[in-house]
Amino acid sequence: MILLLFGAPGAGKGTLAEMLTKHYKLPHVSTGDLLRYHLSKGTEIGKKAKEYMDTGLLVPDDVVLEILEEKMDEKDCHRGYVLDGFPRTVEQAEALDEMIEERSAKISHVFNIDVPRDVIVKRLCARRVCSKCGAIYNVEFKPPKKEGTCDVCGAPLMHRSDDKDDVIRKRLAEYESKTRPVLDYYQKKNLVRTVKGTDSAEMFGKIVDIVGK
Ligand code: AMP
């Protein structure tokens, strides 16, 4: 089963993906997380991606496709996965279709996570992420029990450098110009279900109702 989470940065795709991967026992495939991993290890891919990520621009398609294809062929992805943050351009969506077809699989659902823009901006500014396990917090709406420390693993929380005001603006502009057209692409294929809201638990419930227990 391949579930695709589509939506603006800050829509809560990462949080929903965490809930869905636990529920359906599927791996979470986030191109943002994969890129951040390469960045932290200083790989060639990380070096290529860095300046784009730092400034809120999309990383070139060929770089992202390379890491995604590698991930898809890992054993834990053979039963399916929850895809978060990909595709972000129509070209990526077309390439994904090819990759999936080559592996005789298919996309089960595309969920359009629809959150009001003012909520998105507030969320991104207040988001904190665990530096070790990736758990997501929000200093206003979902603070950790102990300030600056992950409830799950105790590691320090970090403020992503691209969750700063000017970079957020750039990321949202990239979303509007390059990523939103991806929704039409899937709408034409009749795969899209829109899930509106601001509460992740409620949105998770709606998704499970559609996908099935
Ligand atoms: P995310 O964690 O999904 O918000 O991604 C963080 C950053 O990684 C984005 O602002 C982009 O620079 C880059 N990125 C992640 N996924 C993609 C993708 N599918 N295509 C291009 N760039 C991406």
Side-chain angles (χ1 to χ4, degrees):
M1 178 165 73
I2 299 174
L3 301 179
L4 204 151
L5 299 180
F6 180 90
K13 300 185 297 295
T15 303
L16 283 170
E18 276 177 16
M19 298 163 105
L20 290 165
T21 50
K22 251 190 222 145
H23 187 81
Y24 292 114
K25 301 192 172 52
L26 289 172
H28 176 190
V29 178
S30 150
T31 44
D33 285 350
L34 292 171
L35 287 167
R36 277 184 289 279
Y37 173 80
H38 279 275
L39 224 69
S40 72
K41 297 282 171 202
T43 66
E44 279 311 308
I45 285 183
K47 284 179 198 151
K48 281 187 207 161
K50 186 175 178 352
E51 62 168 287
Y52 297 95
M53 294 177 76
D54 282 350
T55 47
L57 294 173
L58 292 185
V59 173
D61 289 344
D62 58 330
V63 178
V64 184
L65 285 166
E66 187 183 332
I67 53 169
L68 181 69
E69 192 152 28
E70 211 177 275
K71 178 76 192 167
M72 250 186 206
D73 287 331
E74 284 179 10
K75 206 169 158 217
D76 66 336
C77 285
H78 290 175
R79 264 187 63 242
Y81 40 88
V82 178
L83 195 50
D84 152 21
F86 186 97
R88 268 168 144 114
T89 62
V90 171
E91 290 72 23
Q92 289 182 8
E94 287 165 352
L96 178 66
D97 275 349
E98 264 176 42
M99 283 194 249
I100 288 182
E101 210 181 300
E102 280 167 14
R103 288 160 181 80
S104 308
K106 71 185 195 32
I107 296 174
S108 317
H109 297 279
V110 175
F111 289 103
N112 173 30
I113 311 302
D114 190 0
V115 177
R117 178 149 174 141
D118 55 327
V119 176
I120 281 181
V121 175
K122 267 192 211 143
R123 265 195 198 161
L124 287 173
C125 294
R127 174 161 70 181
R128 298 292 181 273
V129 185
C130 174
S131 54
K132 193 165 165 213
C133 75
I136 302 165
Y137 299 86
N138 183 296
V139 289
E140 278 182 52
F141 315 114
K142 190 196 164 196
K145 289 190 186 91
K146 186 174 166 221
E147 200 187 319
T149 306
C150 179
D151 293 348
V152 183
C153 72
L157 301 184
M158 58 171 194
H159 190 186
R160 272 172 52 174
S161 59
D162 61 347
D163 280 346
K164 308 269 162 73
D165 207 41
D166 51 333
V167 188
I168 289 173
R169 250 185 273 274
K170 201 54 168 279
R171 288 165 67 203
L172 290 172
E174 286 279 87
Y175 172 75
E176 288 303 333
S177 64
K178 298 187 182 144
T179 306
R180 204 180 266 285
V182 173
L183 199 56
D184 294 337
Y185 178 87
Y186 288 122
Q187 244 144 7
K188 285 189 193 126
K189 293 177 180 278
N190 239 340
L191 282 170
V192 179
R193 301 294 297 261
T194 292
V195 181
K196 276 186 196 280
T198 53
D199 183 90
S200 300
E202 240 173 61
M203 292 169 104
F204 167 72
K206 287 182 192 169
I207 293 176
V208 171
D209 281 347
I210 294 168
V211 176
K213 304 276 178 224

